[in-house]
Amino acid sequence: MPKGFSAREKEWIKEKLMTRGRELFCAYGVKKTSISDLTHAAGIAQGTFYSFYSTKEELFFDILEQEEDEVKRAFLEAPVASGNNPKHAISELLIQTFNRIEDNPIFKRLFADDEMENLMRKLPDHKLEAHLRKDNDMLLPVIEKWKRDGVFLSVDSNIVAGVLRSLFLLATQRKQIGAAYHATVSFLIEAVVEQLLVPKSDSHE
């Protein structure tokens, strides 16, 4: 933990780093933003940065997780069982989630050039593993809520969570997929939902 700062000061410094870091990363990317750029923008000494983060990639990852939490909150709170067509509701929810990701400047920066590869290379394994666990911990309660709300799933909840996680990873492959990206995403969402959900007429057989 950082030494020499009160709890309020630590909170203020970290918030400042994240706010200024978000601005700089969105504008220039992680690779083109230096530690001195970050500390100068935040109004702190350069050495102070290392009391909070080992690398600028770890700061970017914290900002990324903060942005993800907003996307996840909207995903968690969205109703999917209202009406008689949960397949349509879930498909629409997945499309809306993709749109939120695509419109977010931090995600745009992550998917630009080789930022994603650089981030994965620089981050410690334990942070990536914790992130995957956090994703799973978020998705499983959502899936169980769908079940309680009358959405009939054809496979185990853990498989559903894995499929949804894999689907969202498509957003990291936009450049590789190319011009067919949006059509590919729409097709896969439709196919995934069709396979994961049991038709209502079959649910009581």
Side-chain angles (χ1 to χ4, degrees), residues 161-181:
V163 170
L164 293 178
R165 215 166 32 241
S166 300
L167 192 60
F168 288 130
L169 283 173
L170 272 179
T172 69
Q173 303 300 314
R174 181 170 182 169
K175 185 177 179 181
Q176 288 76 6
I177 295 171
Y181 171 76

Side-chain angles (χ1 to χ4, degrees), residues 20-188:
R20 299 306 187 199
R22 188 182 190 280
E23 294 170 357
L24 290 170
F25 291 144
C26 286
Y28 306 109
V30 182
K31 292 179 73 174
K32 293 182 180 179
T33 300
S34 68
I35 300 295
S36 60
D37 290 334
L38 292 164
T39 54
H40 178 74
I44 60 173
Q46 189 165 337
T48 301
F49 178 90
Y50 296 102
S51 296
F52 291 83
Y53 295 100
S54 299
T55 64
K56 59 185 178 179
E57 284 79 15
E58 288 191 21
L59 170 59
F60 180 82
F61 195 67
D62 264 12
I63 296 167
L64 179 65
E65 286 201 309
Q66 187 178 68
E67 299 295 314
E68 278 193 353
D69 286 344
E70 292 299 316
V71 174
K72 289 172 182 175
R73 189 172 296 111
F75 187 85
L76 177 66
E77 294 172 355
V80 298
S82 56
N84 296 317
N85 196 342
K87 285 188 178 182
H88 175 74
I90 291 177
S91 295
E92 285 298 306
L93 173 59
L94 293 174
I95 290 170
Q96 288 168 12
T97 303
F98 265 93
N99 289 339
R100 287 191 184 97
I101 290 171
E102 290 179 347
D103 291 341
N104 185 290
I106 280 291
F107 285 105
K108 283 182 180 179
R109 177 52 65 183
L110 176 66
F111 304 149
D113 302 322
D114 58 351
E115 294 280 16
M116 182 76 171
E117 181 182 344
N118 179 61
L119 185 65
M120 295 301 100
R121 188 171 62 249
K122 295 290 184 69
L123 283 174
D125 289 342
H126 71 86
K127 287 190 77 73
L128 295 173
E129 291 165 3
H131 183 73
L132 288 175
R133 286 195 301 271
K134 184 179 177 181
D135 272 352
N136 205 55
D137 289 345
M138 184 280 295
L139 283 171
L140 285 176
V142 175
I143 294 163
E144 293 302 317
K145 180 179 182 295
W146 291 354
K147 288 181 178 180
R148 292 193 302 271
D149 290 344
V151 176
F152 298 95
L153 299 170
S154 62
V155 294
D156 179 79
S157 295
N158 286 289
I159 296 175
V160 178
V163 170
L164 293 178
R165 215 166 32 241
S166 300
L167 192 60
F168 288 130
L169 283 173
L170 272 179
T172 69
Q173 303 300 314
R174 181 170 182 169
K175 185 177 179 181
Q176 288 76 6
I177 295 171
Y181 171 76
H182 285 104
T184 300
V185 168
S186 296
F187 178 86
L188 287 176

